[in-house]
Amino acid sequence: MTSPLILGQISLPFHQAAAAVVARLLRELGHDVMLQEAPHEEMYEQLEKGAVDLVCSAWLPASHGKYIAHFEDSLEKLSILYTPYCIWGVPPNAPADLTSVADLARPEIASQFRKLIQGINPGAGISRFSRQMITEYRLDVQGFHFENGTLDDCTSAYLDASLAGDFAVLPLWHPQWLHTKTTPRELSDPKGLLGGQDDATLVLRKDASAKLSEDGMTLLRNITLGNAAVSELDRAICRDGQKPDQAAAAWIIENRRLCDRWIEGKSDV
């Protein structure tokens, strides 16, 4: 009997959402799929050791590339599920002459902002990028400081500040449910420290390919969710209280024809 396919998901809701769609479609094709969750660094350690067969999904090359660089030859890169990118955002009503991260170093701008920039876990690309930005844009001189926390810490800090009529910097990314609730104004990043656009890639250990049928491999080479779909799934989980599998099931029903095209080997959306 073939052992189960271990599908790794990073412990954030939008990763759970994408993985739930992949898992459900693989199970439809007769695969025994087990989900395994861990933070960023730990997930890639498990992938390297073979404790995980497939990760949904690696943000390459900038955000997660450093985690797989030393064992990349043992992996097969399959479909690009969506195209994420990191941002620093501010409320839409923030000063009109605030257009760049560099502007936050101006005393007349900095004085209007809460100085805590609340992030998520330390292994996330946005966290690494944000810590570097504090230093390289000399925002620490104006009292800005970045702190790690949970996803709820991050989104709540921004929403609470907005509710109080204060300005706060939001270190976030696309896709994410918050963009369906509010529209943070993205600041330009002249130094290019936010990493640019990544490809959210399904990465499979080559030695685990035997666990997948031909139909399963076809699916994994063609599935393409897109940023809007992942944001929609993320919102269903974070705001509507759905379980990832529940949100995935509803999404698949609504997008049945598209899912069938992936299984048929067609990746066009």
Side-chain angles (χ1 to χ4, degrees):
M1 180 180 294
T2 304
S3 57
L5 180 77
I6 310 300
L7 173 57
Q9 60 187 22
I10 293 168
S11 48
L12 289 167
F14 62 94
H15 282 294
Q16 296 166 354
V21 173
V22 172
R24 282 195 72 91
L25 291 175
L26 284 172
R27 287 169 180 150
E28 284 185 10
L29 295 173
H31 294 81
D32 183 7
V33 180
M34 292 181 59
L35 289 168
Q36 191 156 308
E37 184 170 296
H40 294 76
E41 303 101 319
E42 185 180 335
M43 176 53 63
Y44 292 107
E45 289 171 3
Q46 292 185 23
L47 182 65
E48 181 182 9
K49 295 174 183 176
V52 164
D53 299 315
L54 173 72
V55 166
C56 179
S57 53
W59 288 20
L60 303 176
S63 293
H64 301 173
K66 73 174 215 172
Y67 296 130
I68 67 168
H70 60 287
F71 68 102
E72 194 167 354
D73 289 346
S74 68
L75 303 175
E76 181 176 357
K77 296 174 185 176
L78 301 171
S79 182
I80 296 169
L81 289 179
Y82 53 97
T83 50
Y85 58 95
C86 295
I87 71 164
W88 267 21
V90 295
N93 62 333
D97 57 344
L98 169 57
T99 62
S100 161
V101 173
D103 292 331
L104 290 167
R106 293 161 47 197
E108 68 275 19
I109 295 290
S111 64
Q112 300 180 60
F113 273 78
R114 291 187 179 185
K115 298 307 188 293
L116 169 63
I117 300 177
Q118 179 63 60
I120 59 170
N121 67 75
I126 184 63
S127 297
R128 299 199 318 273
F129 303 153
S130 294
R131 287 192 293 268
Q132 185 179 8
M133 290 167 75
I134 293 286
T135 300
E136 296 207 17
Y137 283 105
R138 295 182 56 80
L139 302 183
D140 49 344
V141 174
Q142 297 299 329
F144 286 102
H145 56 103
F146 178 84
E147 292 186 12
N148 292 115
T150 66
L151 177 58
D152 187 59
D153 291 335
C154 174
T155 56
S156 294
Y158 178 77
L159 293 173
D160 290 349
S162 297
L163 186 63
D166 295 338
F167 297 146
V169 175
L170 175 66
L172 203 64
W173 55 89
H174 285 272
Q176 214 275 340
W177 71 264
L178 192 58
H179 298 290
T180 68
K181 178 179 175 65
T182 184
T183 309
R185 192 170 82 220
E186 297 181 22
L187 299 180
S188 66
D189 171 26
K191 296 180 181 290
L193 302 179
L194 284 170
Q197 181 176 287
D198 274 329
D199 291 332
T201 307
L202 285 167
V203 288
L204 172 73
R205 286 185 58 89
K206 292 177 181 177
D207 59 11
S209 60
K211 294 184 177 184
L212 288 156
S213 67
E214 183 177 345
D215 284 346
M217 287 297 293
T218 298
L219 167 68
L220 296 181
R221 288 185 173 127
N222 287 280
I223 182 172
T224 307
L225 295 172
N227 286 8
V230 176
S231 290
E232 177 187 338
L233 289 159
D234 191 38
R235 179 173 182 171
I237 295 167
C238 294
R239 304 303 293 174
D240 300 338
Q242 296 182 26
K243 299 293 185 183
D245 186 63
Q246 179 185 7
W251 189 89
I252 289 170
I253 289 171
E254 293 175 3
N255 296 272
R256 184 71 259 177
R257 185 176 179 182
L258 176 60
C259 296
D260 289 343
R261 287 176 65 82
W262 296 331
I263 295 168
E264 293 165 2
K266 299 171 183 177
S267 58
D268 50 309
V269 178

